[in-house]
Amino acid sequence: MTTPAYPPKPSPGDRIAVISPGAALPGLFPRPHELGLERLRKEFELEPVEYPATRKMGSTPQERAADIHAAFADPDIKAVIATIGGDDQITVLPFLDRELIRANPKPFFGMSDNTNLLAYLYNTGIVGFHGATVMTALGRPVAMDPLTAESLRAALFTSGEYELRPAERWNDVNRDWADPATFDSEPETRPGTGWTWLNADRVVEGRGWGGCLEILAWLLMADREISHDLTVYDGGVVLLETSEELPSGEEVFRTLRNMGERGLLQRFSALLMGRAKTWSFERPNSPEEGDRYAAEQREAVQRALRAYAPGLMTVFDVDFGHTDPQLVIPYGGSIRVDGPDRRITVTY
């Protein structure tokens, strides 16, 4: 295990790879993808470069691995960003060339199924960035959320500390990408609720690790990219969030229980729990139903913590993951959690 190091940052005018290591949904829904590419060009002054499998639905794991290799190996590409997540990126990992990627470190941005690649990069010695995929964050109708845009810009172009802050307004209700009317107005948002702190009596600083809870569960089951030497996680800050599949509170508890039984959960100095996504096309919960779902998830997390890490400092409803806005969190990079002052500072 190599301690993750920050790769060189791009500058305006540079080329950035756009890849689909999970699902090639740009092939089904070109509108948010094209909008995201346009914003990369106009608002971030970067030149996006697509790869053969970026829009190829049904691409093989080998094809997606080839795109990852090509993006990292090309000296003219200065950063890599995923189009969206998926559900089978774990099948790509065995085809990756760790030495090739280690020799060509670049910032990688992704979340959800891209937890696979972020964990791989962590073990390869490269700091990645959890958040800001092309179709979701950059392809948001009408405009990017300002908090997302500010965070992504800082993560892309700057090195140093950046203080996260709670969203004043947020949203987790999606609209149909196949309907052109979706892109005529911004998503409806509701007032933010701030962060909720637990055991906030200290200041801790450690490397970020974690990601989408469902993907971490798969990695644990497949015994991939979770180190057997658990000391590598000592003092780290674990990032956890759940997807649009809306796992039940019991499922969340069981996953955390298994992390505890493995001796993993208790290694960390703090937990940042992403705001729960409470709505999906399959389960279009009302706001009241969504609130109940979120409360059930929080209780499940607290139940697991009481059993395995009762003193762990925890911050609930941090705006990263599957809700909007989507703060970018350094994966393998430094995160400082200041309980007494209720502040979270990341190092980009």
Side-chain angles (χ1 to χ4, degrees), residues 31-193:
R31 182 68 180 270
H33 180 63
E34 295 288 351
L35 182 56
L37 297 181
E38 180 182 1
R39 290 196 176 121
L40 281 173
R41 293 187 186 99
K42 293 185 177 179
E43 298 180 22
F44 292 87
E45 300 180 71
L46 294 168
E47 183 54 43
V49 179
E50 295 189 52
Y51 284 74
T54 302
R55 305 192 192 210
K56 183 181 178 181
M57 290 295 295
S59 61
T60 66
Q62 294 93 327
E63 288 174 313
R64 284 175 273 159
D67 282 0
I68 294 170
H69 291 154
F72 275 88
D74 187 342
D76 291 331
I77 295 293
K78 304 303 182 183
V80 184
I81 187 168
T83 58
I84 199 163
D87 70 357
D88 74 337
Q89 195 178 114
I90 194 168
T91 66
V92 177
L93 299 181
F95 299 101
L96 294 180
D97 183 335
R98 200 177 298 271
E99 292 311 311
L100 181 152
I101 293 172
R102 182 182 283 122
N104 298 278
K106 289 170 186 176
F108 170 75
F109 294 81
M111 42 80 70
S112 192
D113 199 28
N114 295 291
T115 294
N116 288 284
L117 189 48
L118 288 166
Y120 183 93
L121 292 172
Y122 183 99
N123 291 333
T124 307
I126 300 172
V127 173
F129 296 90
H130 184 284
T133 54
V134 174
M135 296 181 72
T136 56
L138 283 149
R140 186 178 186 267
V142 179
M144 291 182 69
D145 183 281
L147 207 60
T148 305
E150 179 188 302
S151 173
L152 176 57
R153 187 175 300 278
L156 271 169
F157 299 125
T158 69
S159 298
E161 293 189 346
Y162 179 90
E163 185 169 345
L164 306 183
R165 61 183 189 274
E168 295 182 2
R169 300 191 66 85
W170 68 283
N171 169 63
D172 69 343
V173 176
N174 303 112
R175 292 181 292 180
D176 186 0
W177 279 338
D179 182 358
T182 290
F183 298 91
D184 292 340
S185 60
E186 288 197 51
E188 293 185 10
T189 59
R190 44 182 157 158
T193 55

